[in-house]
Amino acid sequence: MPPLLPLVELEADILILGAGGAGLLAALHATTINPRTKILIAVKGLLGQSGCTRMVQGGYNCVLNPNDSFEKHFEDTIKGGQFVNNQDLAWALVNDSPDRILELENKCGCLFDRNPDGTIHQKPFAGQSFDRTVHKGDLTGIEIMANLRDWTLEQENITVLQETRGLDLLTDTNGKVVGALLLNNRKGEFVSVKAKATLVATGGGATMYQISSPSLEKAGDGMGMAFRVGAEFIDMEMMQFHPTGLLVGKSIATGGLLEEGLRGAGARLFNKDGERYMERYSPDKMERATRDVVSRSSYMEIMAGRGTPSGGVLIDATHMGEKFLLDNFRGMVDRCREYGFDLLHSRVEVSPSAHYHMGGIRIDLNCKSNIDGLFAAGEDSGGVHGGNRLGGNGVADSIVFGARAGDAMAEYIRTAKAPGDVSTQARQLMEKWLAPLNREGGENPFKLRDQLERVMWRKAGVVRNGKDMAEAIPEIIEIREKIEQANGAGAPIYNAPWNEMINTVNLGVCAELLTRSAILREESRGAHYRQDFPEKNVKWLKNITVKPVNGDLKWDTVPVKFTRLKPPELIEQEKSLVH
Amino acid sequence: MATYQIRVARSGSDGATDSFTVELDHRMTVLDALFLIQREQDPTLSFRCSCRVGMCGTCAMRINWQPRLACQTRVLTLKADTIVVEPLAHLPVMKDLVVAMDPFFEQWKRVKPALHPDPKRDPKKLAVVPPTSEFGKQAQGKRDCITCGACYAACGIVGSNEEYLGPAAINKAMLRLMDPRDNAVDERLEELNDENGVWRCHTQFNCVAACPKGINLTDSIMKMKRSLLFPKKFHDKRNFVDNP
Amino acid sequence: MSARVINWYLQRVTGAALLFLLVLHFWVEHFTAEVRTPHGLTFAVIQQRFFHNPWFVAVDISFLIIALYHGLNGVRNIICDFSIVTKPMRNVVTVALILFGLGVAYWGIMAFVGNEHLNPLNPKGATVAAAR
Amino acid sequence: MTSAISLTIRKYSWKYAGNLAFWIQRLTGLGLVFYLILHVHTIHDLRDPAKFDAALATFSKPFFKLGEIFLLATVILHAMNGIRLTMVDMGVGLTKQRQVFWYFTIGLGAALLIAGALPMFIYGILRHQP
């Protein structure tokens, strides 16, 4: 007889899964609208100290300067996203972000870096026509999350379950989401929460790759859960790779980022033969080319056998001088030093590193998914960034759409009916998740996760082709089947193998959706690069959407609606038609 | 590659440690050692870690007696073949190296860590804070706190008096008190001026030695002690903001 | 300003004062001409001083009071460092230390005040002084 | 028992300079309070000149002179550390607190102790005439 863990039943108006920027902003906004809203937040790690908003280095893009304009920011975002963004969402991002920065500063107490005269400082960032990135040194995320956390701590209407992860969403007979089943790792108990509205904001699935930059507990949980209740996904093939993830041998720190600004300031990339290979790939822009181009070039060098023995390339910043580096990139110099690299006097090994999932749950302007009662925000949602995300738009996305979700949920719960009983369903799901805890023998979840990461890195990574990806599909499916039989035996509290098993289940979902989407998109656009289709194709100004229907995947391609900006190639095409 | 003996404190019996032998290269950290142990030798080992690059502050633990971030402690720099890894002191152990941060945050909450915006300010305007102003200067390095709890675990006073605010909370209170946008001056001053507030600090500097972010916490505490001689000045702090 | 700030501040001020007084004390009890005799410091020397320069007593008594304040405030700090000393207990400790301090101060002051041997008007005391 | 002691030591991680200074200040402070009370007790004997002189005679014996040197050491440690603490309170030398402790409190304190203790040792102990 397997040991049954206790099931704690809770009730709330709003359930928020994930407490990064999106989750906490949603709580903030819902509380502002009605301070008596009962909000329950489940965090996988410690409140405010886990997730990826915490790890933001660069900054937050917003239009504050009178010489800048929403139109310019919007245009940069759309051009960066290679015109497959949802333009309404992108416009909302651009439009809301200045208000949110005011809110972060004046309501939550963040203090971003200032100019000598005391006004806010905005730094330049790649791919932008104006200096509009608000930042706090190179640790912007800590400032945002620490202050949001402090705000949350003082709210009486908000209950926070720390080290509690979502397992599955609960639905009523109509398929409406009415809460979630959670696992409290701290107490070793299941928690079923009945809620009128549920927000998934747990972050994307970039950790499905061998070399990745996000925090470790991030595992596409929200997408996995939403997939299991039938949510629709968009742009799943779009995975951004950051060109300069630190390569620290076998250390877990591998993939941790060296800031983009380093290349912007003139750092050079070399292969193992000392060749400045960017000359071959992007002779005019060299290392200052966009993230996708540099990542791809580095990856190709490595794959062609011109990488270092441990599979990376070398970044060289020595020519900029000790003083310049210490003045401007102290954080990066220190980070290198922590792992025994000397950025000041020698070359440092870097590699492309999976960074941000542009795709995700398809949402509308109010962050509603296709399923009633289910909201998504932040990296869990897709469509805002299209084919490529600009540096500094990521945290803006989380904050802006977190807030929108908060507003929308506060409105939604006003009319929503109180959900019925969910304990039977919760108990069924609980038994499913309990199985690995009581299993004897079975697969090693750590090994399966490694296997998944390797498959994804080799076959559906920076540079893709149809043949490799077709090969990857059965491997992913095999891993997904095996992981269901994995061994998570041990104590019910802080059980690493059990949690890794759950992570891998969710990552498996993301991986399969990503790979299948990538096979469909027969062109190269933004972060998605196909060796067999290396050109951009005007026919592919479409989004690929997918949703599970009766145990099968229903694929669709939706033409992009150009509500505000048309791509130049389309304008050309129309011109030639007229003539 | 070199062989290290890692002695990890295990919950269960009191003070018991388990010894593991791991092979680590010269770039690897204590966190890597723990991951290797968890993956290959003993999956029941528990520890906390989120970002693994020194930003989240969840992997603080006592490494060879000193509170440190495991992800920032290269084994090579410890200059020892045997590494003793224990949970942070002064905090209840949940399992193995995982401690409950609740006592730390209970104190943190006492100083009202959130901004209590001044209703007289225009919320549509950003505060003007020249980096050369007093707040600007203090905010420079002191905002970097990642609430890892290393200072709390290093402080000798916390060891004998769990009601003491602790260095991190006082540092936070100082930043809020200096903040021109903030209004909760009296409440915070009351907590700081409590018998178990700033007055418990006896400048041991353990917090300064332990802080992985290099924040001079003793300096913050001393500033607060001195400021309490003239607490009125916090009410006048809005003077350097051109935003009525 | 609360009592705690004043206590903290006075602890520093009295510390500085004690430093000065201590040096003075050492000097007059060990190094002045009067005491650099084979007998060293004796009752007679003290009596002489007392009769000729009453400031000696004034300084000695203030030294005593400052030192007691500094010392007992320090003891109170040590006791309050332990959380087992709750708020009501702290008040008891404070009162007890004040009473103890007053007792010691009284004991010390009584060495000079109301001491018949140090009273110039007392023929017995004066005789001893004249005998030296 | 040993584990309890070692746990306590670890808890108060004495190896930091500031922590060592803290314990020095505590212990010397308590010692000086104790001495102060004894001292007041002796002074009170001024009410009985014979008893007072007898006490002073006892205190001029070499053993007590040695004790006096010890007292001097305690006073110097407490005072030098007190000066250091006051500097810390004023925000002076906060970033160099280890150096201030070792060079100022301990170094200069030792020099002062030798300067003060030497005459006491020579006149009070070596050339002591009963």
Side-chain angles (χ1 to χ4, degrees):
Chain A
M1 184 61 202
L4 265 177
L5 299 191
L7 175 72
V8 180
E9 297 187 39
L10 298 175
E11 208 176 330
D13 290 328
I14 293 177
L15 168 66
I16 297 173
L17 301 173
L24 294 187
L25 247 289
L28 172 75
H29 270 241
T31 306
T32 311
I33 289 176
N34 180 0
R36 283 196 300 272
T37 315
K38 225 179 129 207
I39 299 176
L40 200 142
I41 304 180
V43 204
K44 201 169 176 183
L46 295 180
L47 178 65
Q49 288 178 261
S50 55
C52 274
T53 312
R54 180 81 179 188
M55 291 178 75
V56 168
Q57 298 178 330
Y60 178 111
N61 291 347
C62 70
V63 178
L64 291 173
N65 195 310
N67 297 326
D68 195 5
S69 71
F70 290 148
E71 283 76 16
K72 279 190 205 163
H73 186 187
F74 179 74
E75 200 180 320
D76 290 341
T77 305
I78 299 295
K79 276 188 182 159
Q82 307 266 340
F83 286 91
V84 289
N85 319 50
N86 179 329
Q87 298 205 349
D88 292 336
L89 291 179
W91 182 253
L93 171 83
V94 166
N95 232 327
D96 284 6
S97 62
D99 291 344
R100 295 294 89 81
I101 217 77
L102 285 167
E103 206 171 337
L104 284 179
E105 276 239 348
N106 290 336
K107 200 163 180 181
C108 307
C110 299
L111 182 75
F112 298 102
D113 278 2
R114 292 297 202 260
N115 291 317
D117 65 352
T119 53
I120 199 155
H121 179 248
Q122 291 183 282
K123 69 176 177 184
F125 230 46
Q128 295 190 56
S129 54
F130 201 88
D131 300 353
R132 66 167 76 88
T133 306
V134 174
H135 67 110
K136 193 249 151 201
D138 51 6
L139 299 170
T140 314
I142 296 180
E143 180 72 6
I144 295 176
M145 286 315 294
N147 284 292
L148 282 175
R149 187 255 331 270
D150 293 341
W151 176 86
T152 312
L153 283 178
E154 288 193 25
Q155 302 308 311
E156 279 167 9
N157 63 321
I158 300 179
T159 317
V160 181
L161 293 175
Q162 297 200 66
E163 296 182 292
T164 301
R165 64 180 300 162
L167 292 175
D168 260 321
L169 296 168
L170 302 171
T171 49
D172 67 4
T173 42
N174 303 325
K176 180 185 166 203
V177 170
V178 289
L181 177 73
L182 318 173
L183 168 65
N184 188 334
N185 273 317
R186 186 177 280 190
K187 292 183 182 158
E189 63 189 20
F190 286 94
V191 183
S192 85
V193 185
K194 222 157 58 163
K196 290 178 189 164
T198 306
L199 173 73
V200 287
T202 61
T207 46
M208 69 177 95
Y209 287 94
Q210 198 177 352
I211 299 175
S212 62
S213 65
S215 66
L216 298 176
E217 76 269 295
K218 200 156 162 171
D221 284 352
M223 289 199 241
M225 284 185 273
F227 178 80
R228 288 192 285 274
V229 296
E232 186 176 17
F233 289 78
I234 188 166
D235 289 344
M236 285 302 280
E237 71 280 14
M238 296 301 183
M239 170 68 70
Q240 184 175 65
F241 290 83
H242 196 288
T244 50
L246 208 51
L247 204 57
V248 201
K250 284 189 293 182
S251 170
I252 196 85
T254 291
L257 299 182
L258 283 186
E259 209 202 333
E260 184 141 330
L262 212 53
R263 275 181 304 121
R268 295 165 186 165
L269 290 166
F270 294 93
N271 62 18
K272 77 158 186 230
D273 309 321
E275 232 182 320
R276 205 169 158 198
Y277 57 88
M278 284 310 291
E279 281 167 0
R280 280 204 299 278
Y281 300 95
S282 176
D284 46 335
K285 286 194 184 155
M286 300 293 280
E287 285 85 1
R288 285 194 178 90
T290 50
R291 278 181 185 176
D292 52 327
V293 176
V294 182
S295 292
R296 203 145 56 226
S297 314
S298 304
Y299 185 83
M300 290 202 204
E301 282 299 302
I302 298 163
M303 286 297 133
R306 291 191 289 271
T308 56
S310 42
V313 290
L314 296 160
I315 189 166
D316 184 358
T318 53
H319 61 278
M320 288 189 264
E322 221 169 279
K323 193 184 170 303
F324 177 85
L325 285 174
L326 283 175
D327 286 350
N328 293 286
F329 299 102
R330 175 116 230 173
M332 295 303 113
V333 174
D334 287 347
R335 180 173 282 188
C336 289
R337 190 177 294 140
E338 268 152 33
Y339 305 107
F341 294 110
D342 185 1
L343 188 66
L344 296 175
H345 307 109
S346 65
R347 294 176 179 179
V348 174
E349 248 180 299
V350 292
S351 156
S353 174
H355 184 47
Y356 185 90
H357 204 163
M358 270 81 70
I361 302 167
R362 190 177 183 184
I363 55 168
D364 66 5
L365 272 171
N366 289 323
C367 296
K368 270 187 194 160
S369 69
N370 61 322
I371 295 175
D372 199 19
L374 177 66
F375 295 75
E379 212 183 330
D380 279 18
S381 62
V384 183
H385 305 292
N388 206 353
R389 174 177 73 81
L390 291 185
N393 265 359
V395 62
D397 173 1
S398 296
I399 301 289
V400 165
F401 286 97
R404 288 187 91 93
D407 292 337
M409 286 193 293
E411 182 61 41
Y412 179 85
I413 57 169
R414 218 179 301 185
T415 51
K417 272 186 292 178
D421 186 50
V422 290
S423 62
T424 335
Q425 193 187 7
R427 276 177 205 286
Q428 277 167 5
L429 288 167
M430 192 175 128
E431 259 167 52
K432 172 182 118 189
W433 291 111
L434 258 178
L437 187 67
N438 303 313
R439 191 165 284 144
E440 283 172 26
E443 301 280 341
N444 180 338
F446 297 116
K447 294 238 162 69
L448 286 173
R449 165 88 182 256
D450 283 350
Q451 207 180 328
L452 179 72
E453 287 180 1
R454 276 201 305 275
V455 171
M456 292 306 289
W457 185 252
R458 292 219 196 98
K459 302 197 166 157
V462 188
V463 175
R464 302 160 175 174
N465 67 59
K467 191 175 138 279
D468 279 352
M469 287 191 289
E471 279 171 24
I473 294 287
E475 289 185 51
I476 295 168
I477 290 172
E478 193 195 332
I479 293 167
R480 284 192 65 188
E481 278 163 3
K482 275 189 185 164
I483 194 66
E484 299 283 348
Q485 301 306 318
N487 181 344
I493 61 165
Y494 298 113
N495 183 330
W498 190 21
N499 275 291
E500 190 73 324
M501 177 255 163
I502 304 168
N503 289 343
T504 314
V505 166
N506 292 327
L507 282 178
V509 173
C510 300
E512 191 176 339
L513 292 181
L514 183 144
T515 315
R516 286 189 190 275
S517 271
I519 292 174
L520 285 182
R521 189 177 276 278
E522 293 185 331
E523 63 151 357
S524 291
R525 184 180 294 275
H528 172 72
Y529 181 81
R530 293 273 302 251
Q531 274 174 320
D532 39 356
F533 299 94
E535 295 302 320
K536 204 156 45 169
N537 188 338
V538 75
K539 280 187 216 149
W540 269 106
L541 283 167
K542 289 176 186 164
N543 296 116
I544 300 175
T545 66
V546 55
K547 67 174 166 189
V549 176
N550 302 329
D552 218 0
L553 295 174
K554 185 172 175 293
W555 295 93
D556 214 346
T557 51
V558 189
V560 182
K561 288 195 193 99
F562 302 108
T563 49
R564 283 176 188 275
L565 200 65
K566 268 190 185 170
E569 58 261 41
L570 212 63
I571 298 172
E572 295 271 307
Q573 214 176 38
E574 279 167 11
K575 265 188 199 155
S576 58
L577 282 176
V578 170
H579 286 294
Chain B
M1 296 298 265
T3 311
Y4 291 90
Q5 198 75 20
I6 314 277
R7 275 174 53 203
V8 186
R10 302 303 292 263
S11 48
S13 58
D14 187 40
T17 56
D18 276 355
S19 219
F20 301 95
T21 311
V22 286
E23 289 264 306
L24 300 167
D25 70 24
H26 66 293
R27 298 205 192 284
M28 289 171 102
T29 61
V30 173
L31 189 67
D32 288 317
L34 293 176
F35 268 108
L36 280 176
I37 293 168
Q38 191 187 57
R39 266 146 207 255
E40 285 161 17
Q41 302 185 33
D42 184 357
T44 64
L45 177 70
S46 298
F47 54 91
R48 238 187 227 129
C49 165
S50 268
C51 77
R52 52 103 166 72
V53 283
M55 294 179 89
C56 71
T58 56
C59 66
M61 50 188 76
R62 238 168 347 145
I63 298 164
N64 285 356
W65 291 22
Q66 196 171 356
R68 291 161 173 272
L69 292 184
C71 65
Q72 288 194 324
T73 309
R74 260 205 299 159
V75 280
L76 186 80
T77 60
L78 290 171
K79 297 193 170 62
D81 291 337
T82 306
I83 297 163
V84 185
V85 189
E86 297 156 298
L88 285 182
H90 312 333
L91 295 163
V93 178
M94 312 281 283
K95 185 167 181 257
D96 299 342
L97 301 171
V98 183
V99 291
M101 293 298 287
D102 304 64
F104 176 86
F105 279 107
E106 281 311 310
Q107 300 304 334
W108 183 263
K109 273 194 251 180
R110 257 175 70 194
V111 299
K112 296 196 176 289
L115 183 81
H116 288 244
D118 188 340
K120 277 175 278 181
R121 280 194 72 240
D122 179 1
K124 292 287 164 207
K125 272 188 185 166
L126 291 173
V128 175
V129 184
T132 46
S133 68
E134 184 60 24
F135 177 51
K137 271 189 270 181
Q138 285 307 315
Q140 255 335 303
K142 301 245 167 90
R143 266 184 306 159
D144 290 346
C145 177
I146 53 171
T147 52
C148 63
C151 57
Y152 194 77
C155 178
I157 302 300
V158 174
S160 59
N161 186 344
E162 65 267 24
E163 280 162 43
Y164 170 44
L165 274 173
I170 297 176
N171 182 55
K172 182 79 201 182
M174 184 202 70
L175 287 172
R176 287 293 186 229
L177 276 170
M178 288 193 160
D179 198 325
R181 303 164 297 179
D182 188 84
N183 205 22
V185 174
D186 295 326
E187 294 95 317
R188 288 203 188 94
L189 284 179
E190 200 179 310
E191 284 301 331
L192 288 177
N193 198 9
D194 187 72
E195 192 75 58
N196 289 327
V198 286
W199 306 116
R200 284 276 71 76
C201 173
H202 299 303
T203 58
Q204 297 178 332
F205 286 93
N206 291 355
C207 49
V208 182
C211 180
K213 289 280 161 186
I215 302 173
N216 198 330
L217 293 144
T218 306
D219 181 58
S220 303
I221 301 172
M222 286 305 123
K223 275 213 166 56
M224 287 328 297
K225 283 190 181 177
R226 286 199 298 278
S227 302
L228 284 169
L229 279 170
F230 311 102
K232 278 209 177 60
K233 75 170 189 187
F234 289 119
H235 291 281
D236 307 333
K237 63 187 174 180
R238 249 172 291 120
N239 286 353
F240 65 89
V241 177
D242 62 351
N243 191 348
Chain C
M1 265 195 280
S2 74
R4 292 175 204 111
V5 196
I6 297 167
N7 266 340
W8 168 77
Y9 192 64
L10 280 186
Q11 186 77 351
R12 271 72 198 162
V13 173
T14 51
L18 282 176
L19 200 64
F20 170 73
L21 288 169
L22 202 69
V23 172
L24 195 72
H25 191 70
F26 254 62
W27 185 256
V28 298
E29 313 300 2
H30 292 283
F31 294 102
T32 51
E34 300 153 293
V35 295
R36 276 159 64 194
T37 62
H39 304 287
L41 185 69
T42 57
F43 177 79
V45 174
I46 293 171
Q47 201 182 31
Q48 282 293 334
R49 284 179 185 165
F50 193 85
F51 288 158
H52 294 121
N53 190 353
W55 281 108
F56 269 105
V57 182
V59 170
D60 272 353
I61 289 178
S62 46
F63 186 20
L64 173 68
I65 291 169
I66 294 175
L68 272 175
Y69 171 79
H70 188 89
L72 295 179
N73 195 27
V75 171
R76 186 181 173 281
N77 259 332
I78 295 174
I79 294 172
C80 290
D81 273 349
F82 295 90
S83 55
I84 41 170
V85 185
T86 54
K87 201 169 180 183
M89 278 160 82
R90 276 204 297 265
N91 293 337
V92 174
V93 166
T94 313
V95 172
L97 285 174
I98 289 175
L99 290 179
F100 180 75
L102 287 175
V104 176
Y106 174 78
W107 197 247
I109 291 168
M110 285 313 283
F112 305 103
V113 179
N115 182 347
E116 54 176 5
H117 301 293
L118 291 177
N119 186 351
L121 300 177
N122 180 352
K124 209 174 144 202
T127 352
V128 178
R132 295 299 300 192
Chain D
M1 186 60 199
T2 37
S3 80
I5 292 170
S6 84
L7 266 175
T8 312
I9 292 176
R10 273 191 242 175
K11 207 166 164 181
Y12 296 103
S13 37
W14 51 270
K15 63 179 180 171
Y16 302 132
N19 207 332
L20 193 58
F22 164 79
W23 283 110
I24 287 175
Q25 198 69 351
R26 282 264 137 122
L27 297 176
T28 54
L30 280 175
L32 289 172
V33 169
F34 184 66
Y35 171 77
L36 177 68
I37 294 162
L38 282 184
H39 194 52
V40 168
H41 184 72
T42 314
I43 298 291
H44 190 77
D45 287 348
L46 279 173
R47 291 181 89 95
D48 184 349
K51 205 173 163 193
F52 184 74
D53 276 340
L56 284 188
T58 316
F59 292 151
S60 67
K61 290 201 170 93
F63 174 75
F64 284 96
K65 282 286 164 193
L66 208 61
E68 220 163 47
I69 293 177
F70 185 70
L71 174 70
L72 181 70
T74 314
V75 166
I76 288 177
L77 265 180
H78 194 83
M80 296 308 283
N81 204 22
I83 297 172
R84 175 186 152 275
L85 278 176
T86 311
M87 279 163 64
V88 167
D89 284 335
M90 294 190 298
V92 180
L94 270 167
T95 49
K96 295 247 180 265
Q97 59 99 3
R98 276 161 214 257
Q99 289 88 329
V100 172
F101 173 71
W102 288 114
Y103 297 131
F104 179 77
T105 303
I106 301 298
L108 189 57
L112 284 176
L113 176 63
I114 291 167
L118 215 56
M120 286 165 83
F121 186 72
I122 294 169
Y123 295 105
I125 296 170
L126 288 185
R127 304 195 188 163
H128 174 75
Q129 292 152 352

